[in-house]
Amino acid sequence: QGQVVESGGGLVQTGGSLTLSCVVSGSSFTPNAMAWYRQAPGNERELVARINTRNLPDYADFVKGRFTISRANTRKTLTLQMDSLKPEDTAIYFCNKDRRVHSSLYSWGQGTQVTVSS
């Protein structure tokens, strides 16, 4: 099924930056559209950004112009560069296949906590 491990979260001030990474193991990566999701307390998990197999990105409106998603197929790695962070970006961030494209996902990882202070 494949596993993911997310890293790179932390505590930053408003306007700061973080780079999240996700490494996939135990399954293929290159043929899959990939995505970053986030979940804040009391909220459902929501799509943040996705990237298809041709490296075309797509972003949720609330992160457009601030976040950049990229992938490195040889390293089975998905990256999310987050700039101009806002307190409302505070959440646990997860990576997985793009569930709008794939019905079978990797096992969910524990995610990485991002906290933006005001």
Side-chain angles (χ1 to χ4, degrees):
Q1 185 177 10
Q3 295 82 39
V4 299
V5 176
E6 302 94 346
S7 63
L11 171 64
V12 294
Q13 293 184 334
T14 297
S17 298
L18 284 173
T19 302
L20 306 185
S21 294
C22 165
V23 178
V24 174
S25 64
S27 184
S28 59
F29 178 83
T30 303
N32 299 318
M34 294 293 297
W36 282 97
Y37 306 85
R38 71 185 186 186
Q39 187 167 18
N43 291 352
E44 293 187 353
R45 194 166 298 182
E46 60 183 356
L47 179 73
V48 174
R50 56 187 185 148
I51 186 166
N52 67 12
T53 57
R54 293 174 294 167
N55 271 325
L56 294 176
D58 184 38
Y59 300 94
D61 286 344
F62 51 78
V63 303
K64 278 183 181 176
R66 301 189 297 122
F67 291 11
T68 303
I69 188 171
S70 60
R71 62 189 295 162
N73 290 337
T74 56
R75 291 184 283 119
K76 292 188 172 182
T77 300
L78 186 72
T79 300
L80 186 68
Q81 175 65 41
M82 305 188 297
D83 299 314
S84 302
L85 283 161
K86 304 175 181 180
E88 50 264 44
D89 295 318
T90 295
I92 300 174
Y93 284 71
F94 303 87
C95 77
N96 213 310
K97 299 178 189 178
D98 182 353
R99 58 190 178 188
R100 297 183 187 181
V101 175
H102 301 286
S103 57
S104 176
L105 305 182
Y106 301 126
S107 297
W108 287 98
Q110 294 193 343
T112 186
Q113 175 71 50
V114 172
T115 303
V116 185
S117 63
S118 57

